[in-house]
Amino acid sequence: MTDTVTRSINHAQFTIEREVPVAPAVVFQAFADPAVKAKWFGGEEGWEQGESSVEFAVGGREVNEGTFQQKMTSRFVATYTDIVDNERLVYTYDMWLNGSHISTSVATWEFEPTATGTKLTLVEFGAHLDGFDTGAQREEGTIGLVDALVNYLVSQA
């Protein structure tokens, strides 16, 4: 069988910052507690949850797979490489769409205390593969994810 995919790799980096009216410990729990994370991470309308597991520890793995609008199956597989309670997270993750490996990324989250809560800073470096995904598409999707996190955190204030 001939491989019909045009092989390519494109690199992208973006930074997203937000301020929330809750302490860094509350923000950290939104990642550390799988039951809390499920309230904001993914699950938009039309999403059918598939495999889901979280081992929130350095070296631990997180998997989140699901199908949206009964057409597209997305698979997120992350490995936590650094966790400092209430301060930062670093993880690598791979994304698949309908079985095709579309990207590998490194994401860093920092939680900085402010006078009114926490400043969140997400920096992501991505390698987007074979034209299935672009840095701009990933940034747009990630902004939606960060907004969902912020909305959840504001509801906890």
Side-chain angles (χ1 to χ4, degrees):
M1 179 195 266
T2 305
D3 187 7
T4 59
V5 173
T6 300
R7 298 294 179 188
S8 64
I9 187 167
N10 292 294
H11 300 94
Q13 174 183 340
F14 57 86
T15 300
I16 301 170
E17 296 178 332
R18 297 285 192 277
E19 292 202 24
V20 292
V22 296
V26 175
V27 178
F28 186 80
Q29 273 308 111
F31 289 87
D33 183 335
V36 173
K37 189 169 186 182
K39 294 177 181 180
W40 64 269
F41 189 84
E44 65 269 3
E45 189 173 329
W47 176 260
E48 183 181 320
Q49 186 68 52
E51 181 182 353
S52 179
S53 62
V54 179
E55 182 189 352
F56 189 77
V58 173
R61 195 173 131 146
E62 178 172 348
V63 176
N64 191 334
E65 180 175 277
T67 302
F68 47 98
Q69 300 174 359
Q70 300 179 342
K71 313 183 230 191
M72 306 278 264
T73 299
S74 171
R75 182 172 176 83
F76 166 90
V77 179
T79 301
Y80 291 97
T81 60
D82 187 61
I83 298 173
V84 178
D85 288 2
N86 307 326
E87 292 183 30
R88 73 171 181 239
L89 303 173
V90 180
Y91 55 88
T92 61
Y93 74 94
D94 290 280
M95 291 291 299
W96 284 266
L97 189 59
N98 289 339
S100 295
H101 186 208
I102 65 170
S103 67
T104 298
S105 300
V106 175
T108 66
W109 290 83
E110 294 178 87
F111 314 127
E112 180 183 342
T114 66
T116 58
T118 303
K119 178 182 175 187
L120 304 173
T121 303
L122 165 65
V123 178
E124 185 166 314
F125 305 89
H128 303 275
L129 308 173
D130 303 330
F132 292 115
D133 188 24
T134 67
Q137 289 170 313
R138 180 60 52 82
E139 183 174 4
E140 180 182 333
T142 303
I143 286 170
L145 187 65
V146 172
D147 288 345
L149 170 61
V150 168
N151 291 336
Y152 170 77
L153 293 169
V154 167
S155 78
Q156 301 304 297

